[in-house]
Structure formats: C-alpha cells, structure tokens
Amino acid sequence: MTNINFKRRQFLQYAALGTLSTVIPGFAIAENRIINKTPNSAFNADIEIALTAQTADVPILPGAHTHVFKYTGKLLKGPQTALKELPGYLGPILNFEQGQKVRIFFHNQLTEPCVTHWHGMHVPQMMDGHPMYAIHQGEQYVYEFEVKNPAGTNWYHSHTHELTATQVYQGLAGLITITDEAERKLDLPGGEYDIPLVIQDRSFTHGNQLRYLMNMHQRMRGFLGDTLLVNGQSDHTIPVKTRAYRLRILNGSNSRIYKLAWSDGTPVTAIGTDGALLAKPETLPYVMLGPAERVELWADFSGRKPGSELTLQSLPYQGSAAHMGGGMGRGMHGGRGGMGMMDGAASQSDKDTIVRFSVTEQVSDSPKLPDTLVPIHRLTVKDVSDPNSVVPITIGMRHMAFNLNGRTFEMQNYMEREKIPVNTVQRIKIFHDNRAMGGGMRGGRGGGMGMMMTLPHPIHIHGQQFQILSRKQNNPGGAYDTVKDGFINSGWKDTVLVMPGEEVEIIKPFKDYTGLFLYHCHNLEHEDMGMMRNFFVS
C-alpha cells in the first residue's frame, strides 16, 4: 500500500470544526473534535454490537496470508441472528428488523482515523458516519439509531476523509440486511437459500499483499484491480440445489462497474434494488451495477441437472473510460489486468467471470416467484414540495479534479443551493457540466481532458432513499445502447449510475432529520479527490 501523510490530513480535517456547534444544534465538541463517546441512557436498544476496525492477516489467495483492515464484531445484546461472521476480510453481516433500536460501539484500533457510514440507512446526522466524526486509534464512537428502512440490503463501510478509497480497499466493509412484516409474508428463499455476494476487484503482489499504486491518470479513472473477489474469495464456486435462491449482490468495488448476466443467456430476474424490494419482479437481459449499488436477484436452478454449472458474468459494454482496453485478463504496465487511460474507445471488451454456481443436489420442492412483492408509493412531480424548484447536481472538472456543483468538498460548508428544508420532497437533476470539463468528445473518440467526459459517475446521496423520475441520454445510440437495457428505474435507490452524456432526474424525501448529509460520487478515488458536497437540511 502506498504511504499517505495521515497526520497532515488529520490536522486539515479537524482544524475548521471548532465552530460547528453554532451551525448545527446538538453537537458535542471534545478536544476540538466531534465525538459521541457514551451511550444515551434514554435510548433503549434492542440490539447492541461491539464493532472494531483493526488489522488482520487472512487467507485470500493460495499461499501467504494477506494483511488487511477488518471489521470484527461481537453481539452484546439481542438475538443471535443479528450478527453473522463471514470468512475472510469482510465485516460481519448485520441482520436487523424494521423498528429495532440498534446501538453499535465502534472502536478504532487502526493507526489512522476512521469513521463508519451506514450506507442506505435512514439515520440521524450524528449517526450517519460523516467524515467530521472520525475517531483516532483507541477511541470509541457510539452509534444509536432506530431501523426505519423497509426490508432490503444495505451495507456499511469506512467514510474517512481522503482515506475512504484506501480503507475500503483494505477491507473495511460489510453487509446489512433488514426484514419486515411485508417481506416475511412473501416467504422468499431464506437461510442457506439466501446468499450474499459482495463483488470487489483487487490487485496483489507476488507475496499476496494488496497492491494500490496509481498514477494521476489512474486516479482520475478510479482504481481497477486484476483479480475479482466474491465474499473475499477468488475463483468462487457456490454449491446449489435444484430450487430457487435469493441473491443479494453488492458492488463493493472502488470504481469498477459490472454488467451482470447469466452465462447461458437466461434473463436476469430482479426482486430488489439498493435498499428495498421492488413492487413486482422485473426481467432484464442484464443488470448494470455501479459501485455501491445493490440488486437482489431471484435465481432458480430448478430443472438443471446435478453436475451442471451456471456462471454469473460481467459482459462487455462500451461507454466507460473506467474499462478501457480490455477486461480483467488483459494486462499492461506489468499487471494482470491494468488498463491504460488514453487507449482510445472507452469499453470493457471481455467477459469476466463473477461467480460459478455448481448444481450438486436434486430436490423436489422450490418456492415460486411471487407475481407481486411489496407495495411502493411511486413518487411523482406532484409530490414535490416546490414543483418549480429543481435542485442541481452538476458533474464537472477543474484543475484536474472532479467536482459537484462547481466545488470540491469542504468539511462543514454548503452553498445556498445545497440548503434543503426538512420534511420536504425534492426534485433533483444530475447532469454533466461539459463546459467545466475542458471540451468534449463523442462516441469514445479523442483524448486528453476530453477523455474525462467518458466517465460514468455513481452518485450516492446520504439519508433517505430516492426514486428515479427519468433518464435522458443526450448522445443516444452507439456506446449507450450497450448499457441502456440494464437499469432498474422503478425501485428505491440511494446510488444512481449516471452515464456519459446522461441526465438523471430523481425525487427524494428529506424527512425526520436535520444537519449535514453528504452527496458524492461513489467512485471512491473520485470521492477522496474531493467529488463530494454537503446538503444542509434544516
């Protein structure tokens, strides 16, 4: 891993926080930093968990163990099902129920600051994992929140200022599942038939240690590894029976985008998006999944013969400079799969194997795919608090740095356009500001600064989840045709993949909680370079 001047970043991170208590009520200042050190005696927790960020040496590839950062968990109170450990470097799966009150004692045993974000969860600002709350080695932060989300799949990960990419890359991530009464009535596949799949790409030295070395062009593109891992394992094969399964898939990669499809051409059946089940199952030829996005699939192996295999793949597509010059297997710069920045057409030209399912046992019973899942109130422009107002999120670039709304990240600052009244529903338009990106290119031709325009950006907004109102492609045809059939636009989302030339309108509630809530690109290299801003909800 590359060395980073943590002390200087730490100083810059905390230097301007002394006035925050006058900006947002309820802040406690300790040692010129914001610390929620102790539990609230009035908060009656149903579940208590001790979660620690620390170093560990774990087996990933054959041979030497790999040094990683790792979340370890211990259940202090609540049902045993609330915490499930996974082998490898990923943190434990946290299994919650809607309405439960959760207290998490987060301990940092790393030598650098760390904070944890509960990605997709609707929680108060002080519990959301804003980087202003990062704690030092040996310190504790107490998270307390009620689970207000419906049944779905969320996750948690490090969100430390300028260190998110490296800390998540080294292992600080884990899944969160939520159940509720509506989901239980559906009798979806559960237990061993409910399979989590966390997809990540990594690169390793010959000694099996994580490698994260990038030049400026690679940083602008985002990190791309040469080895695909699923649940922290390479060349992953899962034994299955001849029946239906529920697959909870998270793109936990720093920047890589996946075009998920079955190897035999069987359509993909989706039953859930980022944080909730869909109103009804949707069938697609493939699913586009950007960093931080989740999808739940119904995978039915009924009728397949024992001894057969089915592979979940990432298919070729165009329109992404994050995948130029080839797939995982074709390398340059001495690596097994690194891709150059100025290679011409932006594309992923090879198929990549994600995970294999090996049919090992014949069974006679299998649940049927429900015709309907859960009711969803579909938001429209009529639900917007001020129909004449559209909140902009412009994707731009200045001085070799991506920005949002013309600015890079400022820890506690926000612009007038970033002020949101609490308990409102807002219409938000996300689009590329081509004027700020040094000229354009169409169809993947060109180079230099114009190449940046070919980059897709997975835009994540903290707080409540949102719905997609519309997608508009200003350069239809060509590259966009290789991805356009893979978007699920009907469910609840917290991250949306905005392709080159695309304008996406979303509708988002800002209810219950006030304070600073981040919005940013979830290409983690972009985030760490400042492609992040605050909404101030008041």
Side-chain angles (χ1 to χ4, degrees), residues 383-406:
D383 296 296
V384 175
S385 300
D386 183 358
N388 297 318
S389 175
V390 178
V391 178
I393 297 180
T394 61
I395 298 168
M397 172 184 282
R398 291 178 184 171
H399 309 300
M400 287 299 289
F402 289 109
N403 61 58
L404 295 172
N405 286 329

Side-chain angles (χ1 to χ4, degrees), residues 472-486:
K472 176 185 176 184
Q473 175 53 244
N474 294 319
N475 299 312
Y480 191 70
D481 285 346
T482 68
V483 301
K484 66 182 178 63
D485 295 325

